[in-house]
Amino acid sequence: MSSPFSGFTKSTIWSFLYSIKEWQLFIGLLCYAFFIRFPFFFRDYVDRDESTFILMGQSWVDGNLPYTELWDLKPPITFFFFATIIYVFGKSFIAIRIAGTFLVAIVAFFTFKIGDKLGYKSVALWSAILVVLLLSLFGSLQGVMSEHICMAFFMPGIYYYLFKRKFSYQYLAGLLIGLALMSKLNMAYPIAFMMLYTLWPKKGFKSLLKKTRLEFFFGLGVLTILFATALPYYFKGDILIWWESVFQAPMAYSKALDRAIYKPVPVVIAVSVFLVYAWKKKLLNFKSRKLWIFILLIFGTLFSFFKAGKMNGHYLIQLHPILILLVFPVLYKIDFFKNFKVKNYIFLLLFLLPIETYIEAANVIKTKQEKNRFMNGEGISVPLYLKKNQIDYHPIFFTEYHIGNWLLEEKPPTKIATHPSNIMREILFPYARNERKTSQEELQYIMQQIQPKIIVRRKNRPFFDGRIAWANDYMAIQIQNNYKVLDTIEQAILYQRLPSN
C-alpha cells in the first residue's frame, strides 16, 4: 500500500533524527512537556473542570462510586484516573500534574509512531513536538483535562487498530478505544466514521469476512471496558444510575443547550480548504486508504462538536494530534519550510513559544518571595486563611475556587453542586437523582436550609452565569440580609453568615 506521505527524502532533516531510539524519543518528549508544564504544577487550578474531577476522584477513594455521593457530567474513567493518583500519592497537586505530563508525552509519542508508519521520521518527530506544545499551551490546557486522558488512550488505540492487524492487537486496540470513550464519550463519532469506512468491502466477500473477524475482537475490547465500568454498579444493585449518568445525561444536556453550531464552522472550513489545497497541489496521496481514515477521524471529531453545540478551547485537544499528522507533511513540501536556515531556528522557537510557561514561573517565584510557599491561587490561599484564623467554615459554599473543598476536606453543599455551574443546569437533575426539581429550589435549599457559614465568590464576577439574572439577584439579596464581608483574599471575596441568622 502506498504511503499518503510519499515524496520525502532523508536529506530534508538532520541525520541524527533517523537514528534516535523510540525510548529516547519518549524521554525527550516527556522532558519537553515537563519543561512547559512545570510552573503550572503549583497552581490551585487551571480549569474548573479539573477541580471537579479531583473532587469526584477523592469521593471514589473514600469508597463512593461516581454519581452516588457526588455527580458530574463525565464518564467514569476520567474520575478513575484522578482516584488512582489520589489513592497512590494522597492529596498532591504535583502528582496529578506530573501524571498529566505523562499523558501529553504518550499522546505525542503515538503521534510520532503513527506518522512514522505513514511517512518519514522527520515529519513524525516534528508532529510529536508540536503536539506537546498544542496540548500544553493556550487557555486551560496546562491542567489535566478529560481530553488529555481520552487522547492518551485514543492515539495508541488508533495505532494498534491500523497497524497491528492481528486478533490480540485488535482486542488491545478495542480496550484502549473503550477507555478513551469512557473518558470522553463524544469520541464515539469519529470511531463510528472510521469503522463504517474500514468495514466497507473493497476486495470481495472474503476480505469482508476477515475484516469482520478482526473488528469482532476490536468491538469485544470496547465492550469489555463498558462492562467493566458497569459491573461495580451492578454488584451494588444500581446499574441504572450508571446508564443514566454516563449515556442519558450527556444526550439530554446536548439537546437542551442553546446550540452555537456556528462555532465549529471556521475550523471545518479551514480543514476543508487545507485538504482541497493538498489535493490540488498533490501534496498528499489521496489514493491511500489510511489517509481517508484520518480525514474521517477529523470530521467525525468536528461532527461531535456540532452535536455538542459548542466548542471550548480544550475540545481541540481531541483534534490536534490527528490533524497535525496531515498538516506537517504538507508543510514540509512547501518551499519556505524546505529552507535549511528556517530549520536552524526551530530549536530556538521551541523554547521561545511557551511564553505562558515563563509568565507562570515568574508568578511562582513571586509567591515564594511574598508568601514563602510555591503553591499559589485562591483555591490554596482561602483554605489556608480559614485554617490559620480558626474560622468555622462548615458548611462552606464555593461558587468559585471549589478546589478549596478538597483542601478543607469538605463536601460540596449538595450532590449537584459538585461543579457549581451544574446548579443552573436543571435538565441534569433527574439523572443525578437530585431531590429538588428546579435550579431555584436547589439554590433556595442551599441558602435557606443548609445555610453555609462561609460563601466564596470571585471578585468582580457574578455568582453564576451573568445571563441568569434571577440567580445572581437572589444571591445578592441573601448576602445583603444574612452575610457580611469577612475578607478579600487575592481575587476571592469571603462572606460570613451573621450570628443572628
Side-chain angles (χ1 to χ4, degrees):
M1 184 179 292
S2 60
S3 168
F5 305 137
S6 57
F8 296 98
T9 62
K10 290 189 177 183
S11 61
T12 59
I13 198 69
W14 303 282
S15 59
F16 81 90
L17 293 178
Y18 293 90
S19 61
I20 190 171
K21 294 180 174 61
E22 287 192 349
W23 70 267
Q24 293 172 324
L25 174 63
F26 180 79
I27 295 299
L29 293 170
L30 181 64
C31 290
Y32 188 49
F34 184 88
F35 165 74
I36 294 174
R37 301 172 73 89
F38 178 70
F40 298 93
F41 288 6
F42 308 99
R43 178 89 71 85
D44 56 345
Y45 79 98
V46 182
D47 187 280
R48 296 210 305 174
D49 285 350
E50 182 193 55
S51 301
T52 304
F53 303 155
I54 291 173
L55 294 178
M56 294 290 292
Q58 182 65 59
S59 180
W60 202 339
V61 171
D62 293 340
N64 306 291
L65 287 172
Y67 322 118
T68 56
E69 182 192 40
L70 303 182
W71 196 91
D72 190 46
L73 191 67
K74 291 292 186 296
I77 293 300
T78 292
F79 311 134
F80 181 76
F81 174 84
F82 284 89
T84 302
I85 303 303
I86 295 168
Y87 181 80
V88 175
F89 298 102
K91 292 187 176 182
S92 171
F93 285 102
I94 292 176
I96 290 170
R97 306 286 163 68
I98 289 175
T101 303
F102 272 90
L103 295 178
V104 171
I106 290 169
V107 177
F109 179 69
F110 275 92
T111 302
F112 163 80
K113 285 181 71 68
I114 292 171
D116 193 23
K117 284 286 186 180
L118 294 174
Y120 286 96
K121 191 171 287 188
S122 57
V123 174
L125 177 65
W126 294 114
S127 298
I129 292 172
L130 186 58
V131 165
V132 172
L133 282 165
L134 291 176
L135 268 61
S136 300
L137 296 175
F138 317 116
S140 58
L141 307 191
Q142 302 92 349
V144 183
M145 307 301 294
S146 58
E147 290 84 359
H148 287 119
I149 301 169
C150 169
M151 295 307 290
F153 295 123
F154 186 84
M155 294 302 285
I158 293 298
Y159 172 79
Y160 288 114
Y161 177 79
L162 290 179
F163 303 111
K164 303 289 184 179
R165 300 295 285 175
K166 294 182 179 180
F167 296 134
S168 58
Y169 281 114
Q170 289 304 293
Y171 181 69
L172 174 60
L175 291 175
L176 290 165
I177 294 300
L179 289 167
L181 293 176
M182 288 291 98
S183 304
K184 195 72 179 170
L185 204 59
N186 73 301
M187 294 308 281
Y189 290 105
I191 291 300
F193 280 33
M194 179 185 74
M195 294 293 291
L196 288 172
Y197 181 75
T198 54
L199 281 172
W200 190 263
K202 187 180 179 182
K203 297 179 180 178
F205 179 76
K206 289 184 178 180
S207 173
L208 177 62
L209 182 61
K210 183 179 179 181
K211 285 182 181 180
T212 303
R213 289 163 58 195
L214 286 169
E215 307 311 327
F216 171 79
F217 282 90
F218 176 80
L220 186 62
V222 174
L223 290 175
T224 299
I225 297 300
L226 264 65
F227 285 130
T229 61
L231 274 178
Y233 298 90
Y234 173 79
F235 289 128
K236 192 179 178 183
D238 195 8
I239 197 169
L240 190 60
I241 195 171
W242 171 84
W243 174 256
E244 291 172 343
S245 299
V246 176
F247 296 103
Q248 290 187 322
M251 289 189 290
Y253 178 62
S254 177
K255 290 177 182 178
L257 281 174
D258 293 330
R259 292 178 178 272
I261 60 172
Y262 60 87
K263 287 188 176 181
V265 169
V267 181
V268 173
I269 293 173
V271 171
S272 301
V273 169
F274 163 76
L275 290 173
V276 170
Y277 174 79
W279 172 66
K280 287 277 189 180
K281 298 292 184 179
K282 297 182 179 180
L283 299 175
L284 292 174
N285 179 13
F286 281 85
K287 294 180 181 179
S288 168
R289 196 168 175 85
K290 287 186 173 65
L291 175 65
W292 280 103
I293 287 174
F294 281 94
I295 291 172
L296 289 170
L297 287 174
I298 290 169
F299 281 101
T301 304
L302 290 170
F303 180 75
S304 76
F305 298 161
F306 275 107
K307 292 290 290 185
K310 60 180 182 178
M311 192 176 73
N312 296 328
H314 54 82
Y315 286 17
L316 295 177
I317 292 172
Q318 298 174 297
L319 187 63
H320 286 148
I322 310 168
L323 185 59
I324 285 169
L325 285 168
L326 303 190
V327 171
F328 249 79
V330 172
L331 293 181
Y332 262 64
K333 289 185 177 182
I334 296 175
D335 290 340
F336 175 79
F337 293 97
K338 287 182 180 179
N339 189 322
F340 183 77
K341 292 182 180 179
V342 173
K343 295 186 180 71
N344 281 343
Y345 295 104
I346 287 179
F347 283 108
L348 179 62
L349 286 173
L350 293 180
F351 292 96
L352 290 178
L353 285 174
I355 300 298
E356 294 175 351
T357 297
Y358 305 124
I359 295 173
E360 186 65 20
N363 185 45
V364 172
I365 294 170
K366 181 180 178 182
T367 301
K368 178 61 177 175
Q369 292 174 338
E370 294 179 354
K371 302 176 181 179
N372 197 33
R373 56 181 167 88
F374 289 107
M375 301 302 298
N376 62 87
E378 291 81 358
I380 305 291
S381 301
V382 168
L384 287 175
Y385 170 86
L386 294 172
K387 289 179 177 180
K388 180 180 179 181
N389 292 281
Q390 298 182 334
I391 295 168
D392 185 5
Y393 52 77
H394 180 76
I396 188 169
F397 182 23
F398 286 91
T399 63
E400 186 66 74
Y401 315 114
H402 64 295
I403 190 61
N405 285 306
W406 193 46
L407 299 179
L408 292 172
E409 298 186 359
E410 287 285 311
K411 301 292 184 185
T414 63
K415 185 179 183 180
I416 200 68
T418 305
H419 193 307
S421 65
N422 283 342
I423 298 172
M424 297 296 119
R425 297 169 178 169
E426 58 188 43
I427 188 68
L428 300 176
F429 286 17
Y431 307 103
R433 300 186 179 178
N434 203 60
E435 295 182 13
R436 275 71 56 191
K437 304 301 181 185
T438 68
S439 298
Q440 186 172 356
E441 290 176 2
E442 185 71 10
L443 195 53
Q444 288 174 343
Y445 175 78
I446 292 171
M447 297 303 295
Q448 295 172 216
Q449 298 296 320
I450 295 178
Q451 298 183 353
K453 291 184 179 178
I454 299 292
I455 296 175
V456 182
R457 69 175 289 191
R458 188 171 180 175
K459 187 178 180 182
N460 298 324
R461 294 283 185 89
F463 287 95
F464 299 101
D465 189 327
R467 295 170 294 181
I468 309 174
W470 70 263
N472 291 300
D473 291 343
Y474 173 79
M475 289 297 294
I477 292 170
Q478 287 291 315
I479 293 296
Q480 183 178 357
N481 294 338
N482 302 305
Y483 290 83
K484 67 176 182 179
V485 175
L486 174 64
D487 209 336
T488 300
I489 309 298
E490 298 166 21
Q491 293 298 310
I493 302 176
L494 279 64
Y495 300 99
Q496 186 177 41
R497 192 167 180 87
L498 298 171
S500 58
N501 296 299

